[in-house]
Amino acid sequence: QEIDGQGFVLMPGFIDMHCHLRDPGYEYKETMETGMAAALKGGYTTLVAMANTNPVIDNAVVLKANLDKAEALDQCTLIQVSAVTKDFGDSELVEFETVRPLTRVFSNDGVSILNPEIMIQGLKASTKLDFLLLTHCQPETALVQRDIALLEENGGHLHVCHISKKDTLDLIREAKKKDLDISCEVTPHHIFASAMDYKVNPPFRTYPDRRALIDGIKDGVIDICGTDHAPHSEEDKLKGAPGINNFEMAFAMYHTVFEQNGIELEKLSEMMSDAPAKRLGLKAGLIKERYPADLVLVDLKWEGKINPKDFISKSKNNPFGGETLKGKVLMTMVKGEVKYDVNGPAL
Ligand code: DOR
Ligand code: ZN
Ligand code: ZN
């Protein structure tokens, strides 16, 4: 197949360090099928899917079922996160040894690990079994402070999800000066807007917090641009469910904010593809053989509004439909095969 990319930019496929696919158990919000179709439309080729499904992904059997489903679907590459504790509870740990061969990411989400003993066990296991432990950090700054202290005492591989406050960023900036293995991510919505009346966790913060996050991107303290894609039905949103449906708007939101702040496209690509690849141990760039590529073709000059009503995602919960954004995904390839084409038939 010949593709004319004249005037457009070819980038490495985006790797989302943090999303919610709702499968199994909340299929009325999203399924793996609709989630991955939406992700491909957004330029995402690899997804790290959180474990707050029903049942919670807290054992090898349910985790394997999701991996099998993703393989049969043959859309995005799935990295399925395992919970740290059984049913996200406060006492019983997941069997790390049996789950580890199926994933290298462990996290509770929606709820944080409040019990410090559990956090210590998780950190120690992350060293022993070589996996990445995500901390969900809610309440944010106090918990990150505790987690950094525990990381200092016990070692481990720690990634801090969706940071939204200047205070949190400052803690991570200091931690990175020490010999600690810590990384962190932002979401599109926290760097795009502040003080918005829309339910999401962490909540929209102040304008100075938002500016601090953008500075944290510029000076390299923030490693990764995630999505925290969190689809919810209209009814659940009315009942107060937190979350924003991000896959189909994330690239345009990030690109718009980066451009407005004079941050180069190379930096965006690093934070959307290279940094998550490295952090997830996908060893980008080390492959010498001819290898089927994950790529995304983007139009950086496209400017317009993206209407959540047009989302492929099963849910439409996104408050940014009125915003003029810049940047559009035209085509997404996974392992050398076109999986999304803006001009083509639905694949
Ligand atoms: O806004 C959020 N939505 N924050 C979370 O921590 C969980 C997520 C969800 O699962 O809906
Ligand atoms: Zn979260
Ligand atoms: Zn999340």
Side-chain angles (χ1 to χ4, degrees), residues 262-312:
I263 311 171
E264 291 186 354
L265 185 68
E266 283 77 3
K267 180 70 177 169
L268 182 58
S269 181
E270 179 196 314
M271 295 181 75
M272 292 185 79
S273 303
D274 196 44
K278 285 185 178 138
R279 197 63 177 134
L280 293 163
L282 301 178
K283 298 199 177 17
L286 291 182
I287 296 136
K288 292 195 187 76
E289 312 268 307
R290 182 174 175 273
Y291 187 79
D294 290 354
L295 293 168
V296 53
L297 187 69
V298 294
D299 179 357
L300 299 179
K301 296 192 193 85
W302 180 90
E303 225 176 317
K305 291 178 182 172
I306 300 173
N307 191 338
K309 287 204 178 78
D310 300 329
F311 281 179
I312 293 178

Side-chain angles (χ1 to χ4, degrees), residues 122-186:
L123 285 166
K124 286 184 171 165
S126 76
T127 303
K128 186 165 166 233
L129 300 171
D130 186 29
F131 66 73
L132 191 60
L133 180 68
L134 273 48
T135 181
H136 176 258
C137 73
Q138 192 80 22
E140 188 171 320
T141 306
L143 213 61
V144 171
Q145 186 163 29
R146 182 206 69 176
D147 289 344
I148 289 170
L150 294 179
L151 180 67
E152 233 180 316
E153 276 167 45
N154 301 282
H157 308 294
L158 186 69
H159 174 76
V160 185
C161 292
H162 48 49
I163 67 162
S164 65
K165 295 188 71 165
K166 179 180 185 301
D167 293 353
T168 318
L169 186 72
D170 290 342
L171 288 171
I172 294 172
R173 182 178 283 108
E174 288 312 304
K176 283 189 165 189
K177 289 178 187 160
K178 300 171 186 170
D179 191 22
L180 301 176
D181 187 25
I182 185 168
S183 57
C184 67
E185 106 214 342
V186 279

Side-chain angles (χ1 to χ4, degrees), residues 7-19:
F8 306 130
V9 174
L10 193 63
M11 299 175 75
F14 307 142
I15 298 173
D16 189 7
M17 192 73 179
H18 185 154
C19 69

Side-chain angles (χ1 to χ4, degrees), residues 18 20 50 109 162 228:
H18 185 154
H20 300 268
M50 291 300 147
D109 196 313
H162 48 49
D228 203 4

